[in-house]
Amino acid sequence: MPKQSRMTCLNLLLLSSVAFSASACSDSKEGGNASNGGIGEKWKGACVATFTQDYEVIDPFGDPELTVKKGAQYLIGSTDFGEVELIEVTADGPATFSIEPEGDNSENLPFTSDCDLETAEEHRGVFADVTVYSDKALTKKLCELKNGDQRPAGDQGFGYGSDFDFDAEELVYEVRLGALSALCDGNEQGFIGVPSVQIRDTTTSLVPLQTFLKPGA
């Protein structure tokens, strides 16, 4: 079984020349877990990856983290840095992981897609209801974003980051809203609270603001 992927438990996003840690995992147990994917009902028209084989996702330490089952479907997220990020839409939010093409060949991927990845266009999406605040203490509300909200990207200032506290029941993320600012009274940045959840054998936080792809015009 191919082993060319890694879980995005620890990511770095570069936000306007400021590096932020993007997401964290803890309490991971040994052994992989099966996933049949999930694309949700609110994301019709988005690019979908359908796996053509069972595929083993490897964590940053080289251990099996997840077994994707043949036929599983995921939304396609960003395609930066030679990787394809995939999004599993869950009831708690978007769970992501990345695929690295074998041999650095973008055509050598373990899934088919209804999109041409070379011409697909980035969109910003909200994958769970979330309140955006102007302060880190989460006391001054700016706006509420709803599950399914989306906008074409057309921006450079989109991303999120947090100071990790693995014991916290909720992590506070600083966010740059990019195109989603149009849904937040023009506010371009703020703070959100993201609860810790259990996804398979891992405790993590699923940040609801993500990039995903739609077919190009």
Side-chain angles (χ1 to χ4, degrees):
M1 183 181 299
K3 297 182 180 180
Q4 297 294 324
S5 308
R6 61 177 179 79
M7 288 294 289
T8 54
C9 293
L10 296 175
N11 286 337
L12 288 178
L13 292 181
L14 187 64
L15 306 182
S16 301
S17 302
V18 180
F20 288 84
S21 297
S23 61
C25 298
S26 64
D27 299 333
S28 180
K29 302 176 183 178
E30 293 184 1
N33 296 279
S35 171
N36 292 312
I39 57 176
E41 298 181 355
K42 296 180 180 292
W43 305 99
K44 293 180 180 179
C47 296
V48 173
T50 303
F51 275 73
T52 57
Q53 60 190 29
D54 289 352
Y55 194 86
E56 197 165 61
V57 178
I58 304 302
D59 70 16
F61 303 102
D63 298 321
E65 184 73 26
L66 172 67
T67 298
V68 177
K69 305 302 290 183
K70 180 179 179 180
Q73 292 187 313
Y74 301 85
L75 299 184
I76 300 179
S78 63
T79 56
D80 296 329
F81 309 114
E83 297 181 340
V84 179
E85 184 177 71
L86 301 179
I87 302 171
E88 178 181 355
V89 180
T90 77
D92 296 305
T96 66
F97 62 94
S98 293
I99 296 289
E100 296 181 15
E102 296 183 30
D104 295 326
N105 184 348
S106 61
E107 296 182 355
N108 196 7
L109 290 164
F111 59 79
T112 59
S113 175
D114 53 351
C115 288
D116 181 349
L117 299 186
E118 297 295 327
T119 60
E121 298 177 351
E122 287 191 343
H123 285 62
R124 314 303 190 194
V126 182
F127 287 81
D129 294 350
V130 64
T131 301
V132 182
Y133 298 86
S134 64
D135 61 320
K136 193 173 182 179
L138 307 183
T139 62
K140 301 175 181 178
K141 185 171 74 172
L142 291 175
C143 65
E144 293 184 356
L145 300 176
K146 298 298 183 181
N147 186 6
D149 285 347
Q150 54 187 276
R151 285 290 185 273
D155 60 72
Q156 299 296 325
F158 180 83
Y160 51 84
S162 177
D163 297 325
F164 298 132
D165 179 356
F166 290 113
D167 295 323
E169 294 184 358
E170 180 180 68
L171 288 178
V172 176
Y173 283 81
E174 182 177 359
V175 296
R176 305 246 177 122
L177 296 175
L180 294 175
S181 64
L183 304 177
C184 193
D185 299 323
N187 294 291
E188 296 182 354
Q189 62 188 67
F191 296 86
I192 62 174
V194 182
S196 295
V197 297
Q198 190 80 14
I199 298 295
R200 290 175 286 274
D201 283 343
T202 301
T203 300
T204 187
S205 56
L206 304 180
V207 179
L209 309 181
Q210 297 291 335
T211 294
F212 70 99
L213 299 184
K214 281 189 170 183

